Amino acid sequence: MSQVNQVSTAQSGVRHFRLPDVGEGLVDAEILQWHVKPGDEVAVNQVICEVETAKAAVELPCPWAGTVRELLVPEGRTVDVGTPIISVATGEDDGDTEVREKPLVGYGEKAAATQRRPRRRPGRAPAAGAPSPAAEPAPAPAAVPAEPEAPAAPAPPAPSNGTANGAGGTATPAGPVLAKPPVRKLAKDLGVDLRTVTPTGPGGIVTREDVRRDAAAPASAPLEQREATPAAPAADQPAAGQAAPVPAGAGEARPAPGVREERIPVRGVRKHTAAAMVRSAFTAPHVTEFLQVDVTKTVKAVEKLKARPEFAGVKVSPLLLVARALLSAVRRYPGINAAWDEDAQEIVVKHYVNLGIAAATERGLVVPNVKDAHAMALPDLARALQSLTETARAGAATPADMSGGTITITNVGVFGVDAGTPILNPGEAAILAFGQIRDLPWVHKGELAVRKVTTLSLSFDHRLVDGELGSRVLRHVGAVLEDPKTTALVWG
């Protein structure tokens, strides 16, 4: 059976919409939330559901206009690409047909993509026409991190029955609910129907506060005081001497009385990450080297950059200069930006850099990358990093954002950690870990002084990167961060 993007079968005026392939070789997805129900009228390109693949949360539009007849797959179930997920009465009766539609907006179709047969696995959704099983119970979630956005304006608790809030209140919207994927996930975890929530965000968007307010029960302390800080992507660093961000749910989630174990289904990003890490760890022989660096001048350079007009409105952090330092090392030592081709028994040296930034998000670890980072001026790189991390925070990174990386940075310092031994992204030769910046005693110009110090950790694939090359790359990054102005990192 050949794999297609969207396949419909018309029988007696009813078409079945099959789970599409977003064009990145993904083979299955989980139905996160349905936005329609049987009997609803749908228009062409109206969003009917949200699915989570191994790389991203994606909203699926309906390719036809008609009436929803049946939801063939319940929320929370994982199904293979090509499985019918919804039937729509379109009024057309032209026999069994297969219609190949364009790929979803934002996802390019791979040229000469390899055809594959959808895998059958136990516990998957039945084919169209079979009775839909009850939705799987969602695992007890850990507390979801707070979204890094401005808090919503104070508003009275929204009623859960969807009626107007008295005189001047806001009625439940009749159209599609506007909410970001992380907000939808929070609503699902808390058992809140987004259609009953009164939105307070700009343009009628439902915010986290709206969802929490709807789900809040009487408690001794306001919910806002119990919220944890957000899971921070790699773009942020705690200031020296400050505590690292507390992971969401730390010290807050409590098991039910008598519960000693909890089983959480492995799917979505966690499933993809687990497979990638195992493949990398047991394929590439890892070597990790460490280097402590005095980054006092880098910290000062960051403050100077913030005052420059070309960086107005752009977040500038030490990570920006770490990224530029690594790009400088790649330019000098291109062998570090390479891949091992096992089938051809060749080393593929890449003369472009798609710079990956490992980010901790609500959906797990994701590594989106800045395309052609080597060709960017420093202000452009700063904007690209900011956009990348904001997209990751919102849970909106696409499979295209996370494909094609050539070398990666992971900022473990944001969690208050000095160093680590990061595992390579499959297909890459190196990954640089950036530790926290701390005030430490350091010999400076022959005297003991308190300086800003960090630890850099470079893991590399020893099949194609020798110890000498790895050491030179790490030392080059350290030298640039020790004196960015002299190396023309900032002003060049």
Side-chain angles (χ1 to χ4, degrees), residues 228-279:
T229 54
D236 300 320
Q237 270 272 15
Q242 293 183 352
V246 179
E252 184 176 335
R254 295 290 184 271
V259 175
R260 294 170 61 86
E261 292 183 354
E262 178 184 3
R263 290 183 175 268
I264 302 174
V266 179
R267 54 196 179 202
V269 169
R270 177 56 56 195
K271 180 178 179 180
H272 174 75
T273 301
M277 294 299 96
V278 169
R279 185 167 71 254

Side-chain angles (χ1 to χ4, degrees), residues 2 5 9 93 108 135 207 304 312 322 357 385 398 401 437 446-447 450 485 489:
S2 63
N5 283 335
T9 303
D93 187 5
T207 67
K304 291 181 179 179
V322 172
I357 303 294
L385 289 175
T398 67
D401 292 332
I437 298 175
E447 296 183 359
V450 176
K485 187 174 181 180
L489 169 68

Side-chain angles (χ1 to χ4, degrees), residues 272-282 365 423-426:
H272 174 75
T273 301
M277 294 299 96
V278 169
R279 185 167 71 254
S280 177
F282 290 95
L365 175 66
I423 296 178
L424 298 168
N425 261 344

